[in-house]
Amino acid sequence: DGGITQSPKYLFRKEGQNVTLSCEQNLNHDAMYWYRQDPGQGLRLIYYSQIVNDFQKGDIAEGYSVSREKKESFPLTVTSAQKNPTAFYLCASTPRGRGSYNEQFFGPGTRLTVL
Amino acid sequence: AQSVTQLGSHVSVSEGALVLLRCNYSSSVPPYLFWYVQYPNQGLQLLLKYTTGATLVKGINGFEAEFKKSETSFHLTKPSAHMSDAAEYFCAVSEADMGRRALTFGSGTRLQVQP
């Protein structure tokens, strides 16, 4: 079955450590996104990538980094520069073309907790 | 710039009662509109979407929404609530701008269904 996988489901980090969240999709989608979700704030865009080897900052990119070396993969690194990283992180993807109407498909999420 | 407002961060209904979740948007061009549902510690699942054509859109699980351009609204309804409908619901808007192709989300409405 096609879909988006995120790992791990739960992640604990000590202050000062970098951690990488995995996002893999086998939907053959071109664009991929990372969102951060905090209670009562909806989803906020961190980074997005429309094509391999290219990505852009979203609304809250400070303290995060990404790479897009393969179409299927879009890992997110939460660096020690992110002051408040405890949150639920969601990865999403969209196929190319106007027929997609920008509908996004979501992974199951990773809950990151800083100890 | 596009934006989404969801009125009511929490809505409580009795089982069998009408569900009405409100969503208003702002967009400088004809929008694409979405409703997603999220169960605890899971990703987002598409309920329904409006792209073009018929303004009354039917989705999964008995939900429907009506696009009203004059009111810039896209309210979600279900005639009879079920206990399994308890979840958080997000309204999202996208413009036909292929440059970014990200969604702008509302802050969410948590639906509680009382027995």
Side-chain angles (χ1 to χ4, degrees):
Chain A
D1 287 337
I4 302 176
T5 58
Q6 291 186 241
S7 61
K9 186 169 179 63
Y10 298 96
L11 185 58
F12 298 89
R13 187 194 95 173
K14 294 181 180 180
E15 284 194 27
Q17 286 182 335
N18 293 355
V19 290
T20 298
L21 282 59
S22 171
C23 177
E24 303 275 337
Q25 55 98 359
N26 61 3
L27 300 167
N28 199 32
H29 287 174
D30 296 289
M32 298 185 73
Y33 307 82
W34 275 105
Y35 293 92
R36 170 179 171 143
Q37 186 178 19
D38 297 281
Q41 295 193 43
L43 279 70
R44 293 183 289 169
L45 183 66
I46 305 173
Y47 268 97
Y48 63 103
S49 168
Q50 297 185 62
I51 196 169
V52 174
N53 292 323
D54 187 50
F55 49 84
Q56 287 77 40
K57 294 181 179 180
D59 302 317
I60 56 166
E62 184 176 354
Y64 300 97
S65 66
V66 294
S67 63
R68 187 86 186 276
E69 298 177 359
K70 299 185 301 181
K71 186 176 184 178
E72 302 80 16
S73 179
F74 191 41
L76 173 74
T77 296
V78 184
T79 74
S80 57
Q82 170 50 236
K83 298 304 180 188
N84 185 22
T86 295
F88 192 53
Y89 291 86
L90 287 161
C91 180
S93 68
T94 300
R96 180 186 292 275
R98 291 190 178 277
S100 75
Y101 301 108
N102 300 345
E103 176 184 342
Q104 293 190 4
F105 297 77
F106 284 83
T110 292
R111 185 166 296 281
L112 173 63
T113 302
V114 174
L115 304 174
Chain B
Q2 56 198 15
S3 66
V4 178
T5 301
Q6 291 185 238
L7 294 176
S9 58
H10 291 82
V11 171
S12 183
V13 300
S14 298
E15 190 173 19
L18 171 71
V19 176
L20 171 60
L21 305 183
R22 299 178 186 274
C23 173
N24 289 87
Y25 70 91
S26 68
S27 176
S28 57
V29 298
Y32 302 142
L33 296 160
F34 305 83
W35 275 101
Y36 284 87
V37 61
Q38 184 182 35
Y39 298 99
N41 289 313
Q42 295 186 25
L44 275 66
Q45 178 184 7
L46 183 71
L47 273 179
L48 49 80
K49 63 186 177 187
Y50 169 78
T51 55
T52 58
T55 57
L56 181 62
V57 180
K58 295 186 183 298
I60 61 172
N61 301 339
F63 285 94
E64 62 182 36
E66 186 170 11
F67 170 58
K68 293 187 176 180
K69 183 178 179 180
S70 61
E71 299 177 7
T72 61
S73 69
F74 191 56
H75 302 330
L76 182 70
T77 60
K78 182 175 180 178
S80 176
H82 191 273
M83 296 297 291
S84 61
D85 295 327
E88 189 152 25
Y89 293 80
F90 292 93
C91 182
V93 64
S94 174
E95 296 178 349
D97 168 14
M98 302 305 288
R100 174 157 151 160
R101 292 192 291 168
L103 300 181
T104 299
F105 287 87
S107 56
T109 298
R110 185 169 299 279
L111 177 65
Q112 188 176 22
V113 181
Q114 306 284 358

